[in-house]
Amino acid sequence: GAGVSQTPSNKVTEKGKYVELRCDPISGHTALYWYRQSLGQGPEFLIYFQGTGAADDSGLPNDRFFAVRPEGSVSTLKIQRTERGDSAVYLCASSLNKAGEGGADTQYFGPGTRLTVL
Amino acid sequence: ILNVEQSPQSLHVQEGDSTNFTCSFPSSNFYALHWYRWETAKSPEALFVMTLNGDEKKKGRISATLNTKEGYSYLYIKGSQPEDSATYLCASPRDDKIIFGKGTRLHILP
């Protein structure tokens, strides 16, 4: 079956612009995670959705970052007034149930969106 | 602050040799430990989810062990092949977050 997909694969934008990154999880997966991976670092947790609700958004770096999952499937990560420091690979992962504490389900990752802010 | 540490950061191994590397994590409130392989230009791929102290899991030439009391896991690769070149990540779930290490970048030399 289809895996996790992310669009676009690459996004180049200018400082100050608004961007949206999309994640299509595996059908039926209730849990969805967003991560950001900067050069030389491991994936950094941003936000976790269980169904439609953001169960934990404590990893979002500031209020320029926002994510939604209105129907419990597709999720969009939104970044306002982009800054050069936002340049990174943004990864999305889904799992059947919660993969964090209380659930040990395997996460399936998408290919990521490489965001470059000039 | 929860830290998941991996060592070494980078490793060069001759084809055919065996190797191993380490993931360390806080042993308190442990629930699970995940290992992933991340090849360049691909998605991270799950290798193992380990939950029990003393767990040992195997997938082909790759195996992993878990010590939850002392807070470490080893990943072993037997008879390294070029296709093993990748970054190996470990991650520890805490509350609703999943905390990743920085990874071990493995290079297999022909």
Side-chain angles (χ1 to χ4, degrees):
Chain A
V4 178
S5 62
Q6 292 185 245
T7 54
S9 55
N10 279 285
K11 176 70 178 178
V12 179
T13 191
E14 293 179 344
K15 180 183 171 186
K17 299 289 187 182
Y18 168 81
V19 296
E20 289 189 352
L21 312 179
R22 177 185 167 112
C23 172
D24 278 84
I26 293 173
S27 178
H29 280 194
T30 63
L32 186 146
Y33 295 80
W34 282 100
Y35 298 90
R36 176 170 69 176
Q37 196 250 345
S38 302
L39 195 64
Q41 305 294 316
E44 172 195 10
F45 170 85
L46 295 178
I47 186 170
Y48 157 61
F49 286 92
Q50 181 61 42
T52 60
D56 188 330
D57 64 357
S58 61
L60 296 177
N62 51 59
D63 61 6
R64 296 186 297 104
F65 288 73
F66 189 70
V68 295
R69 194 186 185 197
E71 298 179 358
S73 178
V74 171
S75 177
T76 305
L77 179 66
K78 308 181 181 192
I79 310 174
Q80 299 178 318
R81 304 184 304 280
T82 52
E83 298 178 357
R84 292 195 180 88
D86 299 335
S87 297
V89 174
Y90 289 82
L91 291 166
C92 172
S94 72
S95 58
L96 187 60
N97 297 299
K98 183 177 178 180
E101 186 175 323
D105 279 13
T106 296
Q107 291 183 101
Y108 296 87
F109 280 84
T113 293
R114 180 173 296 279
L115 175 66
T116 304
V117 182
L118 302 176
Chain B
I1 296 176
L2 174 69
N3 282 325
V4 175
E5 305 285 348
Q6 291 188 247
S7 63
Q9 185 175 355
S10 181
L11 189 57
H12 290 76
V13 175
Q14 203 69 41
E15 182 178 349
D17 287 352
S18 297
T19 187
N20 66 84
F21 30 91
T22 308
C23 172
S24 61
F25 50 88
S27 55
S28 60
N29 301 317
F30 172 84
Y31 188 81
L33 193 284
H34 297 227
W35 279 102
Y36 295 87
R37 174 169 59 199
W38 195 0
E39 296 178 65
T40 303
K42 295 186 178 179
S43 310
E45 172 198 358
L47 289 173
F48 306 114
V49 178
M50 309 178 78
T51 56
L52 298 175
N53 185 45
D55 245 358
E56 183 168 344
K57 296 208 172 181
K58 190 174 179 182
K59 192 175 191 176
R61 292 179 293 100
I62 303 176
S63 61
T65 60
L66 180 68
N67 183 323
T68 62
K69 293 184 179 178
E70 296 181 37
Y72 65 84
S73 175
Y74 291 133
L75 190 81
Y76 298 89
I77 301 178
K78 186 177 178 182
S80 303
Q81 299 297 309
E83 60 265 29
D84 297 329
S85 294
T87 296
Y88 291 82
L89 295 164
C90 68
S92 177
R94 298 284 159 150
D95 300 319
D96 289 324
K97 304 178 184 58
I98 299 184
I99 311 300
F100 279 82
K102 293 184 179 181
T104 292
R105 183 74 179 93
L106 178 64
H107 306 263
I108 305 301
L109 306 172

